Amino acid sequence: MMPNELDCRDLACPGPVMRCARAVKEENPETLRVLVDNSAAVENVSRFLRANGYMVTATQAQERLWHLDAVRNGAAAGDAAAPEVPAAPAAAGKTLVLITTETLGRGDETLGAKLMDNFLATLPELGDSLWRIVLLNGGVKLATRPGKALDSLRALEAGGVSILVCGTCLDFYQLLEAKAVGQTTNMLDVVSSLALADKIIRP
């Protein structure tokens, strides 16, 4: 692998963009080559790099391989630090994420499950403003079923994010003993959390 080359093949969205964001923030390279394996990643990574001061050329090398060659614009070459992916400011207050289903969006259930995995994996990008995640109804299944969603929730909890899991919902689905992350809670705690939050995100 050549210097300043990122192999982002086999990374689900938004993995390629997040890897590029870390490289731009930590290394601030003048040139960067990014390898991706799908057209969506070509568009997303190219848009991110252009927004951060790079000229980008995309070349399809194989059926499922694109080279994205980025060169920093002359106007940005002297910047002391590269801009980051837009994120909530640290002073944004308490952000609560309310999840009521195990999939994201309507339509195909398999796609919805993948989108939910990606959504949870991206939540750390909110930074210190992310305060609490509340799981209700079908959303409690995310706290019981092994997989990417559960791994992401565990990582968020380990990072200090509070996770509340509806006890009534767990009982309804007969999953009380299966809960693997978070604190079993009640509707009073849920309502109080909603009232205390400065911002509520409901996917």
Side-chain angles (χ1 to χ4, degrees):
M1 182 178 291
M2 63 184 292
N4 296 328
E5 180 174 294
L6 295 179
D7 188 346
C8 295
R9 290 172 291 182
D10 298 322
L11 291 182
C13 173
V17 172
M18 292 172 66
R19 281 202 63 190
C20 289
R22 284 195 293 270
V24 169
K25 177 182 178 181
E26 296 171 4
E27 301 172 21
N28 193 24
E30 293 297 318
T31 62
L32 182 66
R33 169 172 281 189
V34 185
L35 310 182
V36 296
D37 58 9
N38 62 83
S39 57
V42 172
E43 294 181 13
N44 291 331
V45 171
S46 296
R47 185 166 57 250
F48 166 79
L49 289 171
R50 290 188 182 110
N52 283 272
Y54 289 87
M55 295 182 293
V56 182
T57 302
T59 304
Q60 186 169 4
Q62 299 174 17
E63 182 179 355
R64 290 182 54 81
L65 173 61
W66 283 262
H67 294 171
L68 304 180
D69 291 304
V71 179
R72 184 175 293 285
N73 287 326
D79 288 352
E84 303 177 40
V85 174
K94 297 179 179 178
T95 298
L96 181 146
V97 178
L98 178 64
I99 299 176
T100 60
T101 60
E102 59 184 313
T103 60
L104 185 58
R106 297 179 180 178
D108 186 85
E109 294 295 305
T110 300
L111 174 60
K114 183 176 181 179
L115 292 174
M116 181 60 78
D117 288 344
N118 294 344
F119 175 80
L120 292 172
T122 308
L123 282 179
E125 296 300 306
L126 292 176
D128 293 339
S129 70
L130 181 58
W131 167 56
R132 178 163 291 172
I133 297 173
V134 175
L135 303 177
L136 295 176
N137 209 323
V140 301
K141 296 178 183 178
L142 298 170
T144 66
R145 188 171 299 158
K148 293 182 179 178
L150 182 58
D151 293 342
S152 294
L153 289 172
R154 282 174 167 161
L156 287 163
E157 187 175 56
V161 177
S162 170
I163 299 176
L164 301 186
V165 188
C166 170
T168 300
C169 306
L170 287 168
D171 184 56
F172 178 86
Y173 291 114
Q174 299 182 351
L175 292 172
L176 280 169
E177 299 299 321
K179 181 177 69 66
V181 67
Q183 176 182 352
T184 303
T185 193
N186 56 70
M187 193 55 67
L188 177 59
D189 287 340
V190 171
V191 172
S192 298
S193 296
L194 293 171
L196 289 171
D198 296 300
K199 181 188 297 183
I200 298 170
I201 296 175
R202 183 172 179 178

